[in-house]
Amino acid sequence: PPSMAALRFDAFGHDASEVLNVGYAQSGYVLQTKKSTRWGGSIVETQVSCFDGTKKCATPATLSWRLPKPFGFSFVDIDKLELDRAGKCKLDASFANACGVPGLKVDVRFPVEDLSKAAIGCTYANLRPFLFRLDCPARSPGSFRGEVTCAPVRGAHLGAKFTSEGGIPDLALRLSSGRLAIILGARVSQGALGTSAFLRVSPHFRYAASLGFSATHGLSSTTLGMVYKNVYRVKVAHSTREVDIAGSVLFPVSKGISLLGGVRYGVKQGHLSWGLALKLE
């Protein structure tokens, strides 16, 4: 069967990660807004932390803009222009078919107040079934990080991530068929092995699990999670330090308005926390 486009290395477990890590309000009270505009399809997102989970009131906001075609230029995409709670501004931009090379995408990321910390990334995807990625600081290209992924047949992805320091690269394998996906990852240099699985039982139910192993602790972490209708979420996470139970519910208030509420309980420490997020879209 024909091969698929190769995934980024960090995207191998995206479906399991979405079940286990996304959509849980565990602390603080947040107002989130997302608005699409007619100016080049730009999107403006705002996140205001009314209370940050402590006794202090925290009102600073994080503002984020996405400009797919700034000023009508189609060759550049401002993925994120962000002003965070500390008053720092960050810019992520990408250039498709850079230098006139089809399939070559160049990313530039830097804090606006300090251009010396700029980072550059290059992705080449025009040699199927491979995908090549290289990242480095702009002022120190010798300190690079790279990855190579491949989709040799439909449903199978292989990947390796390496650094300029050499050594054994991180390795990953993703196998998927229909509603099931299994991901294996190994950090040989750190003596760590991870595996995760994702299962879509029906259009409404999604399950995921992850296991972490280390050379010193053996089975070091376990996480089980479930999502129902993208409304109800629950997960249980076990590590060497704690056993966490978390859940959240998304309440649709009206069109474009929803309320996300959740709780988290640490069994060993007996710590209970909760959070609320009001979403306006």
Side-chain angles (χ1 to χ4, degrees), residues 171-219:
L171 304 174
L173 167 66
R174 174 188 169 94
L175 300 173
S176 60
S177 177
R179 301 174 178 178
L180 176 66
I182 298 175
I183 303 92
L184 300 174
R187 294 184 177 179
V188 182
S189 60
Q190 300 180 15
L193 176 67
T195 181
S196 61
F198 169 81
L199 176 63
R200 182 186 294 273
V201 178
S202 69
H204 298 318
F205 282 98
R206 289 180 293 155
Y207 298 89
S210 68
L211 301 174
F213 301 88
S214 67
T216 56
H217 297 97
L219 180 61

Side-chain angles (χ1 to χ4, degrees), residues 62-90:
T62 298
L63 306 177
S64 179
W65 295 268
R66 185 179 186 278
L67 307 172
K69 296 180 180 180
F71 306 105
F73 297 111
S74 59
F75 62 88
V76 61
D77 185 347
I78 298 181
D79 301 302
K80 181 186 292 185
L81 177 59
E82 182 180 271
L83 181 65
D84 63 18
R85 298 173 58 184
K88 297 181 179 181
C89 188
K90 301 176 183 178

Side-chain angles (χ1 to χ4, degrees), residues 29 48-60 85:
Y29 303 91
V48 182
S49 297
C50 303
F51 293 90
D52 58 5
T54 66
K55 295 182 179 181
K56 297 181 179 180
C57 178
T59 56
R85 298 173 58 184

